[in-house]
């Protein structure tokens, strides 16, 4: 058995473990059962791949998505790991089975519905099992967000063979974690929870103001691949078209597209180094693309959990990445209406709380990361230095009086009018409509000065987000449960001062990584190679590896092997050609 540190270096090309990886690997090597809770991008696959190589026999990897398995098999093979899967897409079934029986496989991926068949059980009897890895283990729990009944049937298999079990999940919910342990027969002491922070992701939350140009600016500032999450199918297509018009390769993804088109778009995205996909939240599960440079939300996500999971798809390779959330008061208004009309009464309170947490997040003037991490039960520092509010702390203003005036105006006009009209009344606009309604004669007419009037929209937005004002279907604004305390002055209202004008966003990618012709030349080399090999570029090397190569300009294979992300197999396969490319850089 080779030492795990040298395997880490030789096979994966990594100089050290990240976070809890070492603990998880050590427990598994020692034969213990483990539940590893690690956020997306923390490096879960290495936790079972490394013991799979080090231990005798094959690791049986239970994974719910065939697309994901194929990607994993491909990436593992690129590192020289003997990996295969048994799925409906597998062509050489017999060869894979034989390889397993002969002990010639490190990893065998199967879906839970296959793993629990008698036939598969019989196959397992004929070979040697190093461990069971249960990926996306939250699927075993009804509390999780993606319950899969087939996961429940795994337990007898695990108990029968008795090999160490390693369950892996990125889910943040405590109840789900405990349930996973119970369902899979893992002692609770075997739970290892990694920190949830994703320090390389920079969070930005801004009000939506002319979304198409906001998105175009964002996309222009970021060269790499990105995902724009849209609330509706129609919007994904609109956004993709707008981005294409601005000269960026872009496509839509939603469940209503023809299957071939949808899969084609996804495949393009996975292989691309610049494409932006505009998608509904259906997109992302089962996509392991490590080099997504930004995630944008065109509207508020369903919950903080959903937001964290969706933004977590950015920057899995550890390079800087950004998350942008564009929100509007209508998003909250719509979500609140949905809760009151479509959600079963006994679940409404929980849903309201979820939405309130989200409202507090978007409105916050303090560190975004700290809010997110506290939400997941961590105790983070007050500031992170890598979110919009830390980088440019917004000035806060007490808008309690403005809020009271808006609420009074809504009340005095029988809650039949929208914010534009209320602003006219509050500003003393003596126009025909106001006169016809007799609102020139009510007490709130003309009680706001010009400075206050500028705040009407942002304050109304905040009132709607907190459920103090509710937009009805007829354009009126009526009181929500939070109105009373604000109106009576029992609750203060403080918001971040809105920027004078939509400020131009500068490109951080370019600021952090000034254009480097050497890196670009190496990317071109990688692009050619990827085409020849028929794999996405990141399967060859990650950007961070190429950047290190460009900086160091190694002139020998041994120098090359010191760079993170270059293991023995890749060194052997791509090393000589890469050295040649480096040599050409000097010319
Ligand atoms: P997860 O499944 O947890 O989302 P992955 O297993 O896909 O994460 O790994 C995320 C990325 O981190 C991959 O690009 C992988 O190569 C990289 N990675 C994993 N472990 C290490 C490590 N110890 N050092 C450097 N990079 C690592
Ligand atoms: Zn911060």
């Amino acid at each position: 058995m080779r030492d795990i540190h040298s395997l880490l270096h030789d096979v994966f090309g990594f100089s050290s473990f990240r976070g809890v990886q070492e603990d998880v690997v050590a427990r598994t090597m020692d034969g213990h059962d483990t539940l590893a809770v690690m956020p997306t991008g923390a490096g879960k696959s290495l936790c079972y791949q490394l013991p799979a190589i080090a231990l005798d026999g094959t690791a049986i990897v239970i994974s719910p998505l065939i697309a994901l398995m194929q990607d994993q098999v491909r990436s593992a093979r690129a590192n020289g790991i003997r990996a295969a899967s048994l799925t409906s897409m597998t062509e050489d079934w017999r060869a894979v089975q034989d390889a397993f029986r002969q002990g010639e496989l490190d990893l065998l991926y199967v879906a839970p519905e296959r793993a629990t068949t008698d036939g598969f059980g019989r196959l397992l009897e004929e070979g040697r099992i190093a461990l069971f890895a249960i990926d996306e283990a939250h699927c075993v729990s009804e509390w999780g967000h993606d319950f899969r009944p087939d996961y429940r049937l795994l337990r007898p298999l695990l108990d029968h063979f008795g090999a160490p079990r390693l369950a892996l999940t990125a889910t943040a919910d405590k109840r789900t974690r405990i349930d996973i342990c119970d369902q899979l027969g893992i002692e609770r002491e075997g739970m290892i929870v990694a920190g949830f922070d994703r320090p390389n992701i920079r969070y930005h939350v801004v009000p939506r103001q002319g979304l198409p140009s906001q998105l175009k600016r964002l996309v222009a500032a970021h060269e790499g691949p990105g995902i724009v999450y849209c609330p509706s199918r129609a919007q994904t297509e609109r956004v993709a078209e707008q981005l294409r018009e601005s000269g960026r390769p872009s496509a839509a993804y939603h469940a209503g597209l023809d299957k071939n088109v949808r899969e084609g778009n996804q495949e393009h995205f996975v292989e691309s180094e610049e494409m932006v996909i505009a998608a509904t939240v259906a997109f992302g599960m089962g996509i392991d693309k490590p080099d997504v440079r930004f995630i944008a939300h065109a509207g508020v996500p369903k919950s903080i959990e959903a937001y964290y999971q969706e933004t977590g798809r950015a920057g899995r390779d550890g390079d800087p990445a950004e998350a942008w959330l564009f929100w509007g008061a209508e998003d909250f208004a719509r979500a609140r209406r949905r809760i009151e009309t479509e959600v079963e009464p006994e679940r409404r309170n929980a849903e309201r709380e979820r939405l309130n947490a989200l409202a507090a997040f978007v409105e916050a003037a303090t560190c975004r990361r700290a809010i997110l991490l506290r939400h997941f039960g961590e105790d983070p520092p007050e500031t992170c230095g890598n979110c919009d509010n830390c980088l440019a702390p917004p000035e806060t203003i007490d808008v309690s009086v403005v809020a009271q005036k808006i609420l009074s105006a809504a009340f005095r006009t029988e809650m039949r009018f929208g914010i534009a009209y209320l602003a006219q009344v509050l500003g003393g606009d003596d126009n025909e409509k106001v006169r016809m309604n007799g609102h020139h004669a009510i007490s709130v007419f003309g009680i706001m000065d010009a400075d206050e009037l500028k705040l009407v929209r942002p304050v109304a937005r905040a009132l709607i987000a907190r459920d103090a004002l509710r937009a009805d279907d007829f354009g009126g604004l009526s009181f929500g449960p939070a109105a009373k305390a604000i109106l009576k002055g029992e609750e203060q209202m403080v918001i971040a001062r809105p920027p004078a004008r939509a400020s131009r966003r500068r490109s951080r990618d370019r600021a952090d990584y000034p254009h480097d012709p050497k890196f670009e030349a190496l990317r071109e080399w990688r692009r050619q190679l990827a085409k020849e090999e028929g794999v996405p570029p990141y399967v060859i090397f990650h950007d961070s590896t190429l950047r290190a190569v460009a900086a160091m300009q190694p002139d020998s294979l041994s120098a090359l092997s010191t760079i993170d992300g270059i293991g023995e197999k890749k060194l052997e396969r791509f090393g000589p050609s890469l050295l040649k490319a480096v040599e050409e850089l000097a010319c």
Side-chain angles (χ1 to χ4, degrees), residues 366-370 382-391:
T366 54
C367 177
R368 308 277 183 196
R369 188 180 315 274
E382 288 295 306
T383 55
C384 74
N386 195 27
C387 73
D388 53 356
N389 287 345
C390 284
L391 289 165

Side-chain angles (χ1 to χ4, degrees), residues 3-9 11-12 17 21 25 29 45-55 81 107 131:
D3 161 53
I4 55 169
H5 281 97
S6 57
L7 281 176
L8 178 68
H9 179 266
V11 176
F12 297 91
F17 284 108
Q21 279 178 334
V25 169
M29 299 283 298
S45 27
L46 185 132
C47 293
Y48 60 82
Q49 292 187 352
L50 189 47
I53 308 164
L55 295 169
I81 302 172
L107 298 167
L131 67 126

Side-chain angles (χ1 to χ4, degrees), residues 141-375:
S141 171
E142 276 174 299
W143 301 118
H145 45 80
D146 192 23
F147 176 52
R148 296 259 204 139
D150 282 311
Y151 266 72
R152 282 287 167 88
L153 308 176
L154 289 170
R155 180 71 183 273
L157 185 80
L158 302 176
D159 289 346
H160 177 75
F161 286 99
R165 40 197 99 164
L166 169 55
L168 306 117
T169 179
T171 203
D173 182 310
K174 206 167 181 178
R175 192 161 60 166
T176 311
R177 293 172 189 168
I178 291 175
D179 197 29
I180 298 171
C181 284
D182 294 350
Q183 298 290 344
L184 293 177
I186 297 168
E187 283 181 26
R188 291 188 193 170
E189 290 73 41
M191 195 192 304
I192 294 186
V193 182
F196 264 73
D197 191 14
R198 298 288 310 282
N200 62 318
I201 299 182
R202 178 175 289 183
Y203 300 98
H204 297 265
V205 181
V206 289
R208 209 164 40 231
Q209 281 163 337
L211 183 69
S213 46
Q214 284 178 311
L215 285 177
K216 276 181 201 162
R217 274 206 299 278
L218 170 65
V219 162
H222 295 84
E223 288 176 347
I227 305 174
V228 180
Y229 282 114
C230 304
S232 72
R233 294 176 180 186
Q235 196 177 359
T236 63
E237 302 199 16
R238 249 189 341 263
V239 167
E241 195 180 317
Q242 287 159 354
L243 295 180
R244 275 197 301 272
E245 279 167 9
S246 77
R248 185 67 165 261
S250 182
Y253 184 100
H254 61 75
L257 285 175
D258 172 71
K259 187 162 175 279
N260 288 331
V261 174
R262 193 174 67 223
E263 287 177 359
N265 289 352
Q266 168 169 335
E267 217 163 286
H268 264 122
F269 176 69
V270 169
E271 311 224 324
S272 172
E273 296 173 285
E274 53 172 356
M275 183 166 157
V276 179
I277 194 139
T280 56
V281 289
F283 185 78
M285 256 292 256
I287 292 169
D288 246 347
K289 190 170 170 59
D291 56 351
V292 175
R293 294 272 69 85
F294 66 91
I295 304 280
H297 281 86
V300 294
K302 250 175 86 179
S303 61
I304 291 205
E305 284 81 2
Y307 175 71
Y308 208 65
Q309 192 178 36
E310 285 147 20
T311 55
R313 292 173 185 144
R316 292 162 89 116
D317 54 11
D319 273 5
E322 304 214 345
W324 285 81
L325 168 54
F326 299 100
W327 69 283
E330 338 51 292
D331 303 344
F332 286 97
R334 197 175 310 120
R336 299 222 184 261
R337 263 203 307 276
R338 195 187 68 82
I339 292 172
E340 304 312 324
T341 54
E342 290 170 32
V343 173
E344 301 101 78
E346 62 278 11
R347 280 186 38 226
R348 282 184 194 161
N349 256 335
E351 296 264 329
R352 285 186 199 117
E353 273 170 38
R354 228 171 248 194
L355 203 56
N356 290 344
L358 204 50
F361 173 70
V362 304
E363 268 196 56
T366 54
C367 177
R368 308 277 183 196
R369 188 180 315 274
I371 297 173
L372 293 170
L373 293 178
R374 273 198 296 271
H375 185 86

